[in-house]
Amino acid sequence: MAENKEKTFVPEAGTCVPWKVKREELGEIPGNEEIVKKEWEKLEAFAYAFIWFWVQR
Amino acid sequence: MSKEKLYQERLQRYITAMECGKPDKVPIAFSVGEWAVKYTGSTLEEVYYNLDKSIEITCEVVQDLDFDIFGGGPTLWWPPMFDAMGSKLYKFPGIHLEENSQFQYMEEEYMKPEDYDDFIANPTEWLATKYLPRISEEFARPGSYRATVALIKSAAAYAIASNVMAKGWEKWTKEHGVVPSTSGFTKAPFDTLGDTLRGMKGILLDIRRRPEKVLAACEAIIPHNIAYAMIGARGDTTLPCKATLHRGAYPFLSMEHWEKFYWPSLKAVIEGLWAQGKRMYFFAEGNWTPYLEKIAELPDKSIVFIIDTTDAKKAKEILGGKFCLWGGVPTTLLTYGTPAQVKDCVKQAIDELACDGGFVLAPGGAVMSDAKRENIFAMIEAGREYGVY
């Protein structure tokens, strides 16, 4: 990802880099967006849980 | 009876109790805990580090005991995940402690008073970029080789441990027919702030020196504690979400401080979860008697209330019929009592708390490693003897 395309945002609860942010950065995508989005969001949830794990002992 | 049928029977018993109904029998719940390590002749280090062994020894215990609802094995976390980050949060047997020491939590002010505004503005980013480097020796310099490797290893360990434990739960449920007590985990926002971020000393100073920051931080944490619970539960709403409530017990806070700082954001988390159909396993460790009237304001059936040292009769009087009550056997009795005393205690608990349903017989808190084997058997045997409706 080109650095100048990186957005500033506050992720909603349950997300780290929400798909809607990433989607804007990507611009046009030639494939099936839903497939990519679904898997992106699974990893989002995993990363979010990993980050918050450290304060939810 | 097949294990599947047994599982379904026990699940129905649990669901009926959570709905404040009267099942065929009083459901009995038990967590294997670190007590199992001694029971099976292992060491705590082996059980913490070797998840396969932890699952196996749990099977040995579960097959010997006739209970319905299962709180899990002796391993809360997999230490390699912490070792990879050089985590300062815990000391485990192995690297820091001898092989039969219980883990220790190293409380510090990992979040400073001047961090409040940044945390409130963007909690997830602050945790990832400021908190994690502070609590992790290997991740102290993000971007360095050591830190990059540490993060890769720890995230991998998190995934590995989650998968191994998921397989363990599958084994326990399919081969032994026990029902998990909870799915997902969360906390009161005040505890999230007070446990690992500001620490006990920090949070108690803050409620006097910067109360508005504490309230704003708790408010910022609410949606995260709802989201974290639902992600951990993988969307399940059949079982309640576990919440170990640390600083809410009386008299950690005065009534005034509890009502101002602890309760509103915890209530918001419970209501937020309940709006999605998810109950909270309200693990009221310690004494919550003074707060029972406030807790009764929650939506009916939105929690399962765990009685530890809360006055059980008052809990029944104020919360009975509104929420499922859970407990009845003090953990100290399992350590220091006799089987006859345990049996009497179970009979009294069932007589007083289970009479019209909505009750799960269980130890009131975590069963410690020094609990007597004969007392645990006595609790379960008495539960089956007296717990028939």
Side-chain angles (χ1 to χ4, degrees), chain B residues 195-267:
Chain B
D195 285 351
T196 46
L197 292 168
R198 295 289 294 129
M200 177 64 116
K201 182 181 167 191
I203 195 80
L204 290 180
L205 288 173
D206 291 347
I207 62 178
R208 289 165 177 84
R209 292 179 181 172
R210 48 192 74 82
E212 72 291 349
K213 300 289 185 194
V214 174
L215 290 173
C218 287
E219 189 72 21
I221 292 169
I222 291 167
H224 293 283
N225 283 12
I226 297 168
Y228 186 80
M230 294 308 291
I231 288 171
R234 299 180 184 184
D236 168 71
T237 54
T238 302
L239 303 171
C241 168
K242 187 165 193 175
T244 51
L245 304 168
H246 296 145
R247 319 288 200 208
Y250 184 81
F252 270 125
L253 298 173
S254 69
M255 192 71 188
E256 181 194 345
H257 282 152
W258 187 89
E259 286 194 25
K260 182 174 179 182
F261 294 106
Y262 197 88
W263 182 238
S265 50
L266 171 58
K267 188 166 181 258

Coordinates of all heavy atoms in Angstrom, one line a residue, chain B residues 195-267:
Chain B
D195 N -7.7 -3.0 36.1 CA -6.9 -4.2 36.3 C -5.6 -4.1 35.6 O -4.5 -4.1 36.2 CB -7.6 -5.4 35.7 CG -8.7 -6.0 36.5 OD1 -8.9 -5.5 37.6 OD2 -9.5 -6.8 36.0
T196 N -5.6 -3.9 34.3 CA -4.4 -4.0 33.5 C -3.8 -2.7 33.0 O -2.7 -2.6 32.6 CB -4.6 -4.9 32.3 OG1 -5.8 -4.5 31.7 CG2 -4.7 -6.4 32.6
L197 N -4.6 -1.7 33.1 CA -4.2 -0.4 32.5 C -3.7 0.5 33.7 O -2.5 0.8 33.7 CB -5.3 0.3 31.8 CG -5.7 -0.4 30.5 CD1 -7.0 0.1 29.9 CD2 -4.6 -0.3 29.4
R198 N -4.6 0.9 34.5 CA -4.1 1.9 35.6 C -3.7 1.1 36.9 O -3.0 1.7 37.7 CB -5.3 2.8 35.9 CG -5.6 3.8 34.8 CD -4.5 4.8 34.6 NE -4.4 5.7 35.7 CZ -3.3 6.0 36.4 NH1 -2.2 5.4 36.0 NH2 -3.3 6.8 37.4
G199 N -4.2 -0.1 37.1 CA -3.8 -0.8 38.3 C -4.7 -0.3 39.5 O -5.3 0.8 39.4
M200 N -4.7 -1.0 40.6 CA -5.5 -0.7 41.7 C -5.2 0.7 42.3 O -6.1 1.5 42.5 CB -5.4 -1.8 42.8 CG -6.1 -1.5 44.1 SD -7.9 -1.6 43.7 CE -8.4 -3.0 44.7
K201 N -3.9 0.9 42.5 CA -3.6 2.2 43.1 C -3.9 3.3 42.2 O -4.5 4.4 42.6 CB -2.1 2.2 43.4 CG -1.6 3.5 44.1 CD -0.1 3.4 44.3 CE 0.5 4.8 44.7 NZ 2.0 4.8 44.6
G202 N -3.6 3.2 40.9 CA -3.9 4.2 39.9 C -5.4 4.5 39.8 O -5.7 5.7 39.9
I203 N -6.2 3.5 39.7 CA -7.6 3.8 39.5 C -8.2 4.4 40.8 O -9.1 5.3 40.6 CB -8.4 2.5 39.1 CG1 -9.7 2.8 38.5 CG2 -8.5 1.5 40.2 CD1 -9.7 3.3 37.1
L204 N -7.8 4.0 41.9 CA -8.4 4.6 43.2 C -7.9 6.0 43.3 O -8.7 6.8 43.9 CB -8.0 3.7 44.4 CG -8.6 2.3 44.4 CD1 -8.2 1.6 45.7 CD2 -10.1 2.4 44.4
L205 N -6.7 6.4 42.9 CA -6.4 7.8 42.9 C -7.2 8.6 41.9 O -7.6 9.7 42.1 CB -4.9 8.0 42.6 CG -3.9 7.5 43.7 CD1 -2.5 7.6 43.3 CD2 -4.1 8.4 45.0
D206 N -7.4 8.0 40.7 CA -8.0 8.6 39.6 C -9.5 9.0 39.9 O -10.0 10.0 39.5 CB -8.1 7.7 38.3 CG -6.7 7.6 37.7 OD1 -5.8 8.3 38.1 OD2 -6.5 6.7 36.9
I207 N -10.2 8.1 40.7 CA -11.6 8.5 40.9 C -11.7 9.7 41.8 O -12.8 10.3 41.9 CB -12.4 7.3 41.5 CG1 -11.8 6.8 42.8 CG2 -12.4 6.1 40.5 CD1 -12.6 5.7 43.5
R208 N -10.6 10.1 42.4 CA -10.6 11.3 43.2 C -10.0 12.5 42.5 O -10.4 13.6 42.5 CB -9.9 11.1 44.6 CG -10.7 10.2 45.5 CD -9.9 9.6 46.6 NE -10.7 8.9 47.5 CZ -11.0 7.6 47.3 NH1 -10.6 6.9 46.3 NH2 -11.8 6.9 48.2
R209 N -8.9 12.2 41.8 CA -8.1 13.3 41.1 C -8.6 13.6 39.7 O -8.4 14.8 39.3 CB -6.6 12.9 41.1 CG -6.0 12.8 42.4 CD -4.5 12.4 42.3 NE -3.9 12.4 43.6 CZ -2.7 11.9 43.9 NH1 -2.0 11.5 42.9 NH2 -2.3 11.9 45.1
R210 N -9.1 12.7 39.0 CA -9.5 12.9 37.6 C -10.8 12.1 37.3 O -10.8 11.2 36.4 CB -8.4 12.6 36.6 CG -7.6 11.4 36.8 CD -6.3 11.3 36.0 NE -5.3 12.1 36.6 CZ -4.5 11.7 37.6 NH1 -4.7 10.5 38.1 NH2 -3.6 12.5 38.0
P211 N -11.8 12.3 38.1 CA -13.0 11.4 37.9 C -13.6 11.5 36.5 O -14.1 10.5 36.0 CB -14.0 11.9 39.0 CG -13.5 13.3 39.3 CD -12.0 13.3 39.2
E212 N -13.6 12.7 35.9 CA -14.2 12.8 34.6 C -13.4 11.9 33.5 O -14.0 11.4 32.6 CB -14.2 14.3 34.1 CG -12.9 14.9 33.8 CD -12.0 15.2 34.9 OE1 -12.3 15.0 36.1 OE2 -10.8 15.5 34.6
K213 N -12.1 11.8 33.7 CA -11.4 10.9 32.8 C -11.7 9.4 33.0 O -11.8 8.7 32.0 CB -9.9 11.1 33.1 CG -9.3 12.5 32.9 CD -9.3 12.9 31.5 CE -8.6 14.3 31.3 NZ -8.9 14.9 30.0
V214 N -11.9 9.0 34.2 CA -12.3 7.6 34.5 C -13.7 7.4 33.8 O -13.8 6.3 33.1 CB -12.4 7.4 36.0 CG1 -12.9 6.0 36.3 CG2 -11.0 7.6 36.7
L215 N -14.6 8.3 34.0 CA -15.9 8.1 33.4 C -15.9 8.0 31.9 O -16.5 7.2 31.3 CB -16.9 9.2 33.9 CG -17.3 9.1 35.4 CD1 -18.1 10.3 35.8 CD2 -18.1 7.8 35.7
A216 N -15.1 9.0 31.3 CA -15.0 9.0 29.9 C -14.3 7.7 29.3 O -14.7 7.2 28.3 CB -14.2 10.2 29.4
A217 N -13.3 7.2 30.1 CA -12.6 6.0 29.6 C -13.5 4.8 29.7 O -13.6 4.0 28.8 CB -11.3 5.8 30.5
C218 N -14.3 4.7 30.8 CA -15.3 3.6 30.9 C -16.3 3.7 29.8 O -16.6 2.6 29.2 CB -16.0 3.7 32.3 SG -14.9 3.2 33.7
E219 N -16.7 4.9 29.5 CA -17.7 5.0 28.4 C -17.1 4.6 27.1 O -17.8 3.9 26.3 CB -18.1 6.5 28.3 CG -19.2 6.9 27.4 CD -20.6 6.4 27.9 OE1 -20.7 6.2 29.1 OE2 -21.5 6.3 27.0
A220 N -15.8 4.9 26.9 CA -15.1 4.5 25.6 C -15.0 3.0 25.5 O -14.9 2.4 24.4 CB -13.8 5.2 25.5
I221 N -14.9 2.3 26.7 CA -14.6 0.9 26.7 C -15.9 0.1 26.5 O -15.8 -1.0 26.0 CB -13.9 0.5 28.0 CG1 -12.5 1.1 28.1 CG2 -13.9 -1.0 28.2 CD1 -11.9 1.0 29.5
I222 N -17.1 0.7 26.8 CA -18.3 -0.1 26.7 C -18.5 -0.9 25.4 O -18.7 -2.1 25.4 CB -19.5 0.8 27.0 CG1 -19.6 1.3 28.4 CG2 -20.9 0.1 26.6 CD1 -20.6 2.4 28.7
P223 N -18.4 -0.2 24.2 CA -18.7 -0.9 23.0 C -17.6 -2.0 22.7 O -17.9 -3.0 22.1 CB -18.6 0.2 21.9 CG -17.9 1.3 22.5 CD -18.2 1.3 24.0
H224 N -16.4 -1.8 23.2 CA -15.3 -2.8 23.0 C -15.6 -4.0 23.9 O -15.3 -5.1 23.4 CB -14.0 -2.1 23.4 CG -13.6 -1.1 22.4 ND1 -13.1 -1.4 21.1 CD2 -13.7 0.3 22.5 CE1 -12.9 -0.2 20.5 NE2 -13.2 0.8 21.3
N225 N -16.1 -3.8 25.1 CA -16.4 -5.0 25.9 C -17.6 -5.8 25.4 O -17.6 -7.0 25.6 CB -16.5 -4.6 27.4 CG -15.2 -4.3 28.0 OD1 -14.2 -4.2 27.3 ND2 -15.1 -4.2 29.3
I226 N -18.4 -5.1 24.7 CA -19.5 -5.9 24.0 C -19.0 -6.6 22.8 O -19.2 -7.8 22.6 CB -20.7 -4.9 23.6 CG1 -21.3 -4.3 24.9 CG2 -21.7 -5.6 22.8 CD1 -22.2 -3.1 24.6
A227 N -18.2 -5.9 22.0 CA -17.7 -6.5 20.8 C -16.7 -7.7 21.1 O -16.8 -8.8 20.5 CB -16.9 -5.5 19.9
Y228 N -15.9 -7.5 22.1 CA -14.9 -8.5 22.5 C -15.7 -9.8 22.9 O -15.3 -10.9 22.6 CB -14.0 -8.0 23.6 CG -12.9 -8.9 24.0 CD1 -11.7 -9.0 23.2 CD2 -13.0 -9.8 25.1 CE1 -10.7 -9.9 23.6 CE2 -12.0 -10.6 25.5 CZ -10.8 -10.7 24.7 OH -9.8 -11.5 25.0
A229 N -16.7 -9.6 23.7 CA -17.5 -10.7 24.1 C -18.1 -11.5 23.0 O -18.0 -12.8 22.9 CB -18.7 -10.3 25.0
M230 N -18.7 -10.8 22.0 CA -19.4 -11.5 20.9 C -18.4 -12.1 20.0 O -18.6 -13.2 19.4 CB -20.3 -10.5 20.1 CG -21.4 -10.0 21.0 SD -22.5 -11.3 21.8 CE -23.2 -12.0 20.4
I231 N -17.2 -11.5 19.8 CA -16.2 -12.1 18.9 C -15.7 -13.4 19.6 O -15.5 -14.5 19.0 CB -15.0 -11.1 18.7 CG1 -15.5 -10.0 17.7 CG2 -13.8 -11.9 18.1 CD1 -14.5 -8.9 17.5
G232 N -15.4 -13.3 20.9 CA -14.9 -14.5 21.6 C -15.9 -15.6 21.6 O -15.6 -16.8 21.6
A233 N -17.2 -15.3 21.6 CA -18.3 -16.3 21.6 C -18.6 -16.8 20.2 O -19.4 -17.7 20.1 CB -19.5 -15.7 22.3
R234 N -17.9 -16.2 19.2 CA -18.2 -16.5 17.8 C -19.7 -16.4 17.5 O -20.3 -17.2 16.8 CB -17.7 -17.9 17.5 CG -16.1 -18.0 17.7 CD -15.6 -19.3 17.3 NE -14.1 -19.3 17.6 CZ -13.3 -20.3 17.4 NH1 -13.7 -21.4 16.8 NH2 -12.0 -20.2 17.7
G235 N -20.3 -15.4 18.1 CA -21.7 -15.1 17.9 C -22.7 -16.0 18.6 O -23.9 -15.8 18.5
D236 N -22.2 -17.0 19.4 CA -23.1 -17.8 20.2 C -24.0 -17.0 21.2 O -23.4 -16.2 21.9 CB -22.4 -18.9 20.9 CG -23.2 -19.6 21.9 OD1 -24.1 -20.4 21.5 OD2 -23.1 -19.4 23.2
T237 N -25.3 -17.3 21.3 CA -26.1 -16.7 22.3 C -26.8 -17.7 23.2 O -27.6 -17.3 24.0 CB -27.2 -15.7 21.6 OG1 -27.9 -16.5 20.7 CG2 -26.5 -14.5 20.9
T238 N -26.5 -19.0 23.0 CA -27.1 -20.0 23.9 C -26.5 -19.9 25.3 O -27.2 -20.0 26.3 CB -26.9 -21.4 23.3 OG1 -27.4 -21.4 22.0 CG2 -27.5 -22.5 24.1
L239 N -25.2 -19.8 25.3 CA -24.5 -19.8 26.6 C -24.2 -18.3 27.0 O -24.0 -17.5 26.2 CB -23.2 -20.6 26.5 CG -23.4 -22.0 26.0 CD1 -22.0 -22.7 25.7 CD2 -24.2 -22.8 27.1
P240 N -24.1 -18.1 28.3 CA -23.7 -16.7 28.8 C -22.2 -16.4 28.6 O -21.4 -17.3 28.5 CB -24.1 -16.8 30.2 CG -24.0 -18.2 30.7 CD -24.3 -19.0 29.5
C241 N -22.0 -15.1 28.5 CA -20.6 -14.7 28.4 C -20.0 -14.5 29.8 O -20.6 -13.8 30.6 CB -20.6 -13.3 27.6 SG -19.1 -12.5 27.6
K242 N -18.8 -15.0 30.0 CA -18.2 -14.9 31.3 C -17.6 -13.5 31.6 O -17.0 -12.9 30.7 CB -17.1 -15.9 31.4 CG -16.5 -16.0 32.8 CD -15.6 -17.2 33.0 CE -15.4 -17.5 34.5 NZ -14.6 -18.7 34.7
A243 N -17.9 -13.0 32.7 CA -17.4 -11.7 33.1 C -16.9 -11.9 34.6 O -17.7 -12.0 35.5 CB -18.4 -10.6 33.0
T244 N -15.6 -11.9 34.8 CA -15.1 -11.9 36.2 C -15.0 -10.5 36.7 O -14.3 -9.7 36.1 CB -13.7 -12.6 36.2 OG1 -12.9 -12.0 35.2 CG2 -13.8 -14.1 35.9
L245 N -15.8 -10.2 37.7 CA -15.9 -8.8 38.1 C -15.1 -8.6 39.4 O -15.3 -9.1 40.4 CB -17.4 -8.6 38.4 CG -18.3 -8.9 37.2 CD1 -19.8 -8.9 37.6 CD2 -18.1 -7.9 36.1
H246 N -14.0 -7.9 39.1 CA -12.9 -7.8 40.2 C -13.1 -6.7 41.2 O -13.2 -6.9 42.4 CB -11.6 -7.6 39.5 CG -11.2 -8.8 38.6 ND1 -10.5 -8.6 37.4 CD2 -11.4 -10.1 38.8 CE1 -10.3 -9.8 36.9 NE2 -10.9 -10.7 37.7
R247 N -13.2 -5.4 40.7 CA -13.2 -4.3 41.7 C -14.6 -3.9 42.1 O -14.8 -3.0 42.8 CB -12.6 -3.1 41.1 CG -11.4 -3.3 40.2 CD -10.2 -3.6 41.1 NE -8.9 -3.4 40.4 CZ -7.8 -4.0 40.6 NH1 -7.7 -5.0 41.5 NH2 -6.7 -3.8 39.9
G248 N -15.6 -4.7 41.7 CA -17.0 -4.4 42.0 C -17.5 -4.9 43.3 O -18.5 -4.5 43.8
A249 N -16.7 -5.8 43.9 CA -17.1 -6.4 45.2 C -17.0 -5.4 46.3 O -16.1 -4.5 46.3 CB -16.2 -7.6 45.5
Y250 N -18.0 -5.5 47.3 CA -18.0 -4.7 48.4 C -16.9 -5.1 49.4 O -16.7 -6.3 49.6 CB -19.3 -4.7 49.1 CG -19.5 -3.8 50.3 CD1 -19.8 -2.4 50.1 CD2 -19.3 -4.2 51.6 CE1 -19.9 -1.6 51.1 CE2 -19.4 -3.4 52.6 CZ -19.7 -2.0 52.4 OH -19.8 -1.2 53.5
P251 N -16.1 -4.3 50.0 CA -16.1 -2.8 49.9 C -14.9 -2.2 49.2 O -14.3 -1.3 49.7 CB -16.0 -2.4 51.4 CG -15.1 -3.4 52.0 CD -15.2 -4.7 51.1
F252 N -14.5 -2.8 48.0 CA -13.5 -2.2 47.3 C -13.7 -0.7 47.0 O -12.9 0.2 47.1 CB -13.3 -2.8 45.9 CG -12.4 -4.0 45.9 CD1 -12.8 -5.2 45.5 CD2 -11.0 -3.8 46.3 CE1 -11.9 -6.3 45.5 CE2 -10.2 -4.9 46.3 CZ -10.6 -6.1 45.9
L253 N -15.0 -0.4 46.7 CA -15.5 1.0 46.4 C -16.6 1.3 47.4 O -17.3 0.4 47.8 CB -16.0 1.1 45.0 CG -15.1 0.8 43.9 CD1 -15.8 0.8 42.5 CD2 -13.9 1.8 43.8
S254 N -16.7 2.6 47.8 CA -17.8 3.0 48.6 C -19.1 2.9 47.7 O -19.0 2.8 46.5 CB -17.6 4.5 49.0 OG -17.8 5.3 47.9
M255 N -20.2 2.9 48.4 CA -21.5 2.8 47.6 C -21.6 3.9 46.6 O -22.0 3.7 45.4 CB -22.7 2.8 48.6 CG -24.0 2.5 48.0 SD -24.0 0.7 47.6 CE -25.6 0.6 46.8
E256 N -21.2 5.1 47.0 CA -21.3 6.3 46.1 C -20.4 6.1 44.9 O -20.8 6.3 43.8 CB -20.8 7.5 46.9 CG -20.9 8.8 46.1 CD -20.1 9.9 46.8 OE1 -19.8 9.8 48.0 OE2 -19.9 10.9 46.2
H257 N -19.1 5.6 45.1 CA -18.2 5.4 44.0 C -18.6 4.3 43.1 O -18.5 4.3 41.9 CB -16.8 5.2 44.6 CG -16.1 6.4 45.0 ND1 -15.1 6.5 46.0 CD2 -16.3 7.7 44.6 CE1 -14.7 7.7 46.1 NE2 -15.4 8.5 45.3
W258 N -19.2 3.2 43.8 CA -19.6 2.1 43.0 C -20.8 2.5 42.0 O -20.8 2.2 40.8 CB -20.1 1.0 43.9 CG -20.5 -0.3 43.3 CD1 -19.6 -1.4 43.0 CD2 -21.8 -0.7 42.8 NE1 -20.3 -2.4 42.4 CE2 -21.6 -2.0 42.2 CE3 -23.0 -0.1 42.7 CZ2 -22.7 -2.8 41.7 CZ3 -24.1 -0.8 42.2 CH2 -23.9 -2.1 41.6
E259 N -21.7 3.3 42.6 CA -22.8 3.7 41.7 C -22.4 4.7 40.7 O -23.0 4.7 39.6 CB -23.9 4.4 42.6 CG -24.7 3.4 43.4 CD -25.9 3.9 44.1 OE1 -26.5 4.9 43.5 OE2 -26.4 3.4 45.1
K260 N -21.4 5.5 40.9 CA -20.9 6.5 40.0 C -20.0 5.9 38.9 O -20.1 6.1 37.7 CB -20.3 7.6 40.7 CG -19.8 8.7 39.8 CD -19.3 9.9 40.6 CE -18.8 11.0 39.6 NZ -18.2 12.2 40.4
F261 N -19.0 5.1 39.4 CA -17.9 4.7 38.5 C -18.0 3.2 38.0 O -17.6 2.9 36.9 CB -16.5 4.8 39.2 CG -16.2 6.2 39.5 CD1 -16.3 6.7 40.8 CD2 -15.8 7.1 38.5 CE1 -15.9 8.0 41.1 CE2 -15.5 8.4 38.8 CZ -15.5 8.9 40.1
Y262 N -18.5 2.3 38.8 CA -18.5 0.9 38.4 C -19.8 0.5 37.7 O -19.7 -0.2 36.6 CB -18.3 0.0 39.7 CG -17.9 -1.4 39.3 CD1 -16.5 -1.7 39.2 CD2 -18.8 -2.4 39.1 CE1 -16.1 -3.0 38.9 CE2 -18.4 -3.7 38.8 CZ -17.0 -4.0 38.7 OH -16.6 -5.2 38.3
W263 N -20.9 0.8 38.2 CA -22.1 0.2 37.8 C -22.7 0.7 36.4 O -23.1 -0.1 35.6 CB -23.2 0.4 38.9 CG -24.5 -0.3 38.6 CD1 -25.7 0.3 38.5 CD2 -24.8 -1.6 38.2 NE1 -26.7 -0.5 38.2 CE2 -26.1 -1.8 38.0 CE3 -23.9 -2.8 38.1 CZ2 -26.7 -3.0 37.6 CZ3 -24.5 -4.0 37.7 CH2 -25.9 -4.1 37.5
P264 N -22.7 2.0 36.1 CA -23.3 2.4 34.9 C -22.7 1.8 33.6 O -23.4 1.4 32.7 CB -23.1 4.0 34.9 CG -23.0 4.3 36.3 CD -22.2 3.2 37.0
S265 N -21.4 1.7 33.6 CA -20.8 1.1 32.3 C -20.9 -0.4 32.3 O -21.1 -1.0 31.2 CB -19.3 1.6 32.2 OG -18.6 1.3 33.4
L266 N -20.9 -1.0 33.5 CA -21.1 -2.5 33.5 C -22.6 -2.8 33.0 O -22.8 -3.7 32.2 CB -20.9 -3.1 34.9 CG -21.3 -4.5 35.1 CD1 -20.6 -5.4 34.1 CD2 -21.0 -5.0 36.5
K267 N -23.5 -2.0 33.6 CA -24.9 -2.1 33.2 C -25.1 -2.0 31.7 O -25.8 -2.7 31.0 CB -25.7 -1.1 34.0 CG -27.2 -1.3 33.8 CD -27.9 -0.4 34.9 CE -29.4 -0.6 34.8 NZ -30.1 0.6 34.2

